[in-house]
Amino acid sequence: MNEKAILPPGQFELDQFPRFGLTPFAYRYPKNIDTISIRVKGDVVSETVLSDQLSELERVDQVSDFHCVTTWSRRNLKWSGYRFRDVFESIIQPQAQPDSEAGFVIIRGQDGYRTSMQLDDLLAADVLLADQLNDAPLSIEHGAPMRLVAPAHYGYKSIKHVEKIEFCCESRELFPFGLRFLIHARGRVALEERSSGAPAWLVRRLYKPFIKPTI
């Protein structure tokens, strides 16, 4: 089988995994990479902080591909961390007690970047809060101390340097970068949800000039 044939639509394969990021965030680094401290807030009964209690959960090793919305992909990355679903069910739900209607989640990084996902998507079995990559501690280039890994979604959902997780009962207009029509609320790779306001073929072309600056 031709390996290139199994790439998602519009993607090409890289033989490296570069630090990526839109220009405003590419050279912003977190102040704290030695301690995991993630604040859970928003439509919750009680704000809480994810830290040492994460180590009490089952550690998960996972090999998955990473697909950047700008059309490059890196295959077979080995991540290690904790399933977001386990974190939610074992820590967030009993301690923070999100509102039962809070189905929308905003995630913020120490570098000022933010993204959003539906809670149902975050609870998929392959979504991790990861602190290791390829059997080594996560580097600052790739999101230390902890990043989200959501393989079914384009890379801009897999936010680096996770600092805050905010539960919301209503979706919000969240446009953290670029032109509004280039953002998609879900960003699922299999459905080529690159944009909410333009056809995928056009968005691929629009992203071409961003590939070099963002890696």
Side-chain angles (χ1 to χ4, degrees):
M1 179 183 295
N2 182 356
E3 288 190 355
K4 292 186 182 302
I6 63 175
L7 280 171
Q11 297 296 115
F12 70 94
E13 184 175 3
L14 287 184
D15 59 4
Q16 59 175 315
F17 184 43
R19 172 178 170 83
F20 71 99
L22 290 153
T23 305
F25 304 97
Y27 301 104
R28 291 186 187 177
Y29 291 93
K31 295 180 180 179
N32 174 25
I33 63 169
D34 299 318
T35 304
I36 293 173
S37 180
I38 302 173
R39 184 179 172 191
V40 180
K41 54 180 291 188
D43 291 325
V44 299
V45 172
S46 179
E47 293 188 5
T48 191
V49 175
L50 305 176
S51 54
D52 295 341
Q53 67 267 50
L54 290 170
S55 63
E56 300 174 6
L57 302 178
E58 177 187 3
R59 176 170 286 277
V60 175
D61 294 331
Q62 172 179 296
V63 176
S64 54
D65 298 341
F66 183 96
H67 305 293
C68 181
V69 72
T70 62
T71 70
W72 61 264
S73 296
R74 176 60 171 153
R75 286 201 176 107
N76 300 321
L77 295 168
K78 183 180 179 183
W79 301 98
S80 183
Y82 310 98
R83 287 192 182 93
F84 188 93
R85 182 174 63 194
D86 293 343
V87 176
F88 179 77
E89 293 177 350
S90 299
I91 303 175
I92 294 176
Q93 217 167 21
Q95 294 187 14
Q97 301 178 55
D99 191 293
S100 61
E101 300 298 319
F104 183 78
V105 184
I106 297 173
I107 306 172
R108 304 177 190 271
Q110 292 186 46
D111 57 358
Y113 182 77
R114 63 183 184 179
T115 193
S116 62
M117 291 187 69
Q118 293 187 12
L119 178 59
D120 286 345
D121 289 342
L122 285 170
L123 297 180
D126 61 353
V127 177
L128 304 182
L129 284 171
D131 59 0
Q132 295 182 20
L133 172 61
N134 293 335
D135 297 316
L138 204 59
S139 67
I140 191 171
E141 290 79 12
H142 288 302
M146 180 161 275
R147 72 174 296 162
L148 188 75
V149 176
H153 302 260
Y154 286 115
Y156 66 86
K157 296 293 186 180
S158 293
I159 183 171
K160 299 188 289 287
H161 320 300
V162 177
E163 178 182 45
K164 296 177 184 176
I165 298 174
E166 181 178 352
F167 288 84
C168 306
C169 290
E170 296 181 358
S171 62
R172 302 179 187 176
E173 287 194 339
L174 185 67
F175 304 102
F177 60 84
L179 300 174
R180 292 188 173 196
F181 74 89
L182 288 178
I183 309 301
H184 195 282
R186 299 186 78 176
R188 293 170 293 183
V189 176
L191 299 178
E192 204 172 355
E193 293 175 334
R194 298 182 193 270
S195 165
S196 59
W201 66 265
L202 175 59
V203 177
R204 293 179 202 167
R205 293 185 180 181
L206 292 174
Y207 272 128
K208 289 294 184 182
F210 290 103
I211 293 176
K212 288 186 178 180
T214 58
I215 64 174

